[in-house]
Amino acid sequence: MDGLFITFEGADGSGKSTQARFLAEGLRELGFDVVLTREPGGCPVAEKIRDIVLDKNNTDILDITEAYLYAAARAQHVHEVILPALKQGKIVVCDRFIHSSVAYQGYGRNLGKERVLEINKHAVDGCLPDITFFITVNPESAFDRMNEQKERDRLETQEQAFYDRLFKGYLKILEDEKDTIIPIEAKGTKFETKEIVLAKAKAILQEKGLL
Ligand code: TMP
């Protein structure tokens, strides 16, 4: 594969979507051909699955169904958007990917990491991120940011215990994948965080001989 696959992870309210957008813009300014996309979603079929999975009226979705829905959206997204872009040598910046399933469904929903990886194996078809930026904020600021939103989706209306498991799950993933996941502590303004992420990305591109 010739391109570079960069993902952003973090809890709801961590500001990772803004950082994904900033990085895509920063890399474009450096002359790279960048595809900015997101999960769940990123292509028409996957966006429809997103509507189902985030609809808070769907109170009866089983945890296992939820895991398959995210994986189904991912299969479509990988084959329709991510793999073709990487094959054309582009940089793909994706807001959430498989680590979100491990964190939310594996740890948050208690389905277990192994089961979630098994479900996702065929969906990702070997397409895994080269680099993942994991935006960390303390859980209180994430909650404050979520509370500022007018509408919460289905995943944002869970009980506190779910978020505790999710937070610990993300830390476990970080511990397990130290080589490819870069933790970014979002302590300052979003613009300060943007500069930190861009500097790290540039260093990696230089290391890989791409810059
Ligand atoms: P977003 O708010 O970052 O767009 O993500 C939508 C929600 O979907 C968020 O609460 C996290 C959740 N999610 C999962 O539970 N599993 C997944 O695999 C993905 C990609 C997202």
Side-chain angles (χ1 to χ4, degrees):
M1 208 123 45
D2 298 313
L4 192 71
F5 186 20
I6 303 175
T7 61
F8 276 79
E9 292 287 346
D12 299 287
S14 63
K16 58 162 184 52
S17 307
T18 306
Q19 293 305 327
R21 183 168 49 81
F22 281 162
L23 181 64
E25 287 164 6
L27 293 174
R28 280 184 193 130
E29 277 165 24
L30 289 171
F32 290 100
D33 202 344
V34 182
V35 172
L36 173 64
T37 186
R38 69 167 180 183
E39 288 210 342
C43 59
V45 166
E47 288 290 333
K48 284 187 180 166
I49 299 175
R50 179 186 176 95
D51 291 342
I52 297 171
V53 87
L54 297 186
D55 183 348
K56 59 178 188 295
N57 297 315
N58 288 336
T59 48
D60 50 359
I61 295 185
L62 300 177
D63 294 347
I64 190 76
T65 310
E66 180 181 287
Y68 277 111
L69 284 170
Y70 281 111
R74 183 162 300 129
Q76 188 71 27
H77 186 215
V78 163
H79 290 91
E80 195 174 321
V81 177
I82 301 175
L83 278 176
L86 292 174
K87 281 184 185 145
Q88 289 167 20
K90 296 180 183 170
I91 296 182
V92 175
V93 175
C94 189
D95 180 358
R96 293 194 183 282
F97 196 62
I98 192 167
H99 294 108
S100 283
S101 284
V102 174
Y104 282 76
Q105 283 65 57
Y107 291 105
R109 298 291 194 213
N110 270 328
L111 287 177
K113 175 183 171 180
E114 295 312 322
R115 189 138 54 128
V116 170
L117 289 179
E118 180 62 30
I119 289 171
N120 275 275
K121 201 165 82 184
H122 298 292
V124 299
D125 209 7
C127 175
L128 292 170
D130 297 296
I131 311 155
T132 297
F133 287 106
F134 174 41
I135 310 293
T136 67
V137 284
N138 61 46
E140 292 77 32
S141 7
F143 257 112
D144 288 348
R145 285 199 48 168
M146 265 205 303
N147 284 333
E148 284 166 15
Q149 289 173 205
K150 278 187 227 89
E151 274 285 337
R152 286 189 180 199
D153 64 42
R154 198 175 60 85
L155 272 286
E156 290 171 338
T157 48
Q158 302 301 310
E159 82 282 20
Q160 182 61 44
F162 173 83
Y163 288 104
D164 292 343
R165 289 194 298 274
L166 174 69
F167 191 69
K168 287 191 191 127
Y170 260 132
L171 295 181
K172 179 92 181 49
I173 294 170
L174 196 56
E175 185 62 31
D176 290 347
E177 294 183 43
K178 281 201 190 90
D179 292 347
T180 51
I181 304 184
I182 302 169
I184 303 283
E185 220 184 318
K187 284 190 297 201
T189 66
K190 60 185 176 185
F191 301 108
E192 284 162 348
T193 305
K194 168 189 171 176
E195 294 308 324
I196 296 169
V197 172
L198 190 58
K200 298 239 182 216
K202 277 185 186 170
I204 292 164
L205 287 164
Q206 273 162 354
E207 247 172 57
K208 293 186 180 285
L210 297 168
L211 188 67

